[in-house]
């Protein structure tokens, strides 16, 4: 679903920071070789992630849902020199693809890949995070939130992707549609939970910015 016209989307991209060459190459190769390339954050959302990271200046970043590594590299752009980004994904076939592009970047040695279920891996990472990006299976968004909240530094930022879910959040709920059901609960939680303050941005498929209090 397009929330704004393709013409406006193009205008927005043309009047935002240009896509770095490394990410343009990753974007192109993802579309050439990988299934479901629409999952890629892409130019505009990638620049939003980069800008937010540069404003936050995180020491430690956690990403839940790596895909081909585009968003991870965007988030690294604002990371402190001695920082780390930990990224989790379940698709073993993408690990080498991710690593190839990570190692072409200035942050290759600072990016730690984790393969497996995020609900199992998150408790094993002994770090406090300044920035978290959730972009994985929607059925676990509530679980991810509760797992990462104790690991957040005060004032840290949690970014949650796809929270408008192609507009399904406004449609009558199909009882069999677990993803939409969980997203509705998740959006309601973020809007009312006293542990965070939240703003939902209509960027692509919806991006929530939550600040830990």
């Amino acid at each position: 679903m397009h929330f704004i016209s393709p013409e406006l989307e193009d205008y927005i991209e043309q009047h935002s920071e240009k896509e770095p060459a490394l990410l343009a190459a990753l974007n192109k190769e993802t579309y050439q070789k990988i299934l479901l390339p629409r999952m890629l954050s892409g130019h505009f959302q990638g620049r939003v992630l980069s800008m937010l990271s540069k404003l936050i200046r995180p020491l430690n970043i956690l990403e839940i849902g790596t895909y081909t590594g585009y968003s991870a590299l965007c988030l690294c752009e604002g990371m402190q020199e001695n920082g780390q980004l930990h990224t989790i994904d379940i698709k073993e076939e993408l690990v080498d693809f991710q690593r190839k592009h990570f190692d072409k970047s200035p942050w290759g040695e600072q990016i730690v890949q984790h393969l497996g279920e995020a609900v199992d891996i998150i408790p094993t990472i002994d770090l406090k995070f300044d920035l978290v990006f959730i972009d994985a299976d929607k059925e676990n968004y509530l679980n991810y939130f509760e797992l990462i909240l104790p690991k957040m530094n005060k004032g840290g930022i949690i970014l949650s992707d796809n929270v408008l879910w192609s507009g399904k959040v406004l449609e009558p709920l199909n009882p069999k549609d677990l993803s939409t059901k969980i997203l509705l609960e998740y959006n309601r939680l973020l809007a009312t939970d006293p542990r965070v303050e939240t703003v939902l941005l209509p960027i692509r498929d919806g991006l929530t910015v939550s600040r830990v209090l």
Side-chain angles (χ1 to χ4, degrees):
M1 172 180 286
H2 284 280
F3 295 106
I4 61 174
S5 70
E7 292 79 13
L8 266 179
E9 288 184 349
D10 184 62
Y11 182 87
I12 290 167
E13 286 195 7
Q14 293 300 321
H15 292 80
S16 297
E17 190 72 17
K18 294 189 183 305
E19 185 178 41
L22 173 67
L23 291 174
L26 172 52
N27 194 334
K28 182 178 180 180
E29 189 171 354
T30 297
Y31 272 83
Q32 289 173 336
K33 299 180 179 179
I34 307 298
L35 290 174
L36 303 174
R38 280 189 70 252
M39 291 173 59
L40 193 86
S41 290
H43 174 192
F44 174 58
Q45 186 175 11
R47 292 305 85 204
V48 172
L49 295 177
S50 168
M51 181 66 78
L52 289 171
S53 184
K54 288 170 182 173
L55 291 170
I56 297 162
R57 294 293 294 145
L59 177 61
N60 293 312
I61 305 170
L62 174 64
E63 179 184 54
I64 305 172
T66 316
Y67 190 47
T68 56
Y70 189 101
S71 54
L73 291 172
C74 293
L75 295 169
C76 281
E77 291 180 32
M79 184 170 61
Q80 295 182 33
E81 286 186 13
N82 58 337
Q84 281 191 335
L85 181 142
H86 289 254
T87 185
I88 306 170
D89 206 283
I90 61 170
K91 294 184 178 178
E92 186 175 1
E93 67 272 18
L94 292 179
V95 170
D96 290 341
F97 186 97
Q98 298 159 5
R99 177 48 59 186
K100 178 180 72 172
H101 290 279
F102 290 160
D103 286 344
K104 290 179 181 178
S105 79
W107 310 285
E109 294 183 0
Q110 295 166 268
I111 299 174
V112 181
Q113 294 165 282
H114 299 269
L115 179 64
E117 296 288 345
V119 290
D120 299 324
I121 292 169
I122 293 168
T124 70
I125 303 175
D126 187 22
L127 288 173
K128 285 281 191 176
F129 293 100
D130 305 298
L131 177 60
V132 172
F133 182 42
I134 305 175
D135 186 17
D137 56 314
K138 312 313 163 194
E139 293 89 343
N140 269 309
Y141 267 37
L142 291 165
N143 294 328
Y144 296 149
F145 180 76
E146 295 299 342
L147 284 170
I148 64 177
L149 203 57
K151 292 179 172 288
M152 297 295 298
N153 284 319
K154 186 176 181 180
I157 299 295
I158 300 170
L159 304 173
S160 308
D161 202 16
N162 304 119
V163 290
L164 294 179
W165 207 222
S166 298
K168 290 181 182 179
V169 292
L170 292 180
E171 298 172 359
L173 180 63
N174 180 339
K176 296 181 181 180
D177 185 353
L178 181 59
S179 293
T180 302
K181 179 178 181 293
I182 295 297
L183 277 175
L184 288 168
E185 293 180 22
Y186 184 70
N187 290 343
R188 190 159 49 245
L189 172 67
L190 292 188
T192 59
D193 195 310
R195 297 172 293 178
V196 294
E197 58 181 354
T198 291
V199 61
L200 197 165
L201 304 175
I203 294 172
R204 286 193 75 205
D205 198 22
L207 179 71
T208 298
V209 181
S210 303
R211 176 174 173 268
V212 177
L213 300 176

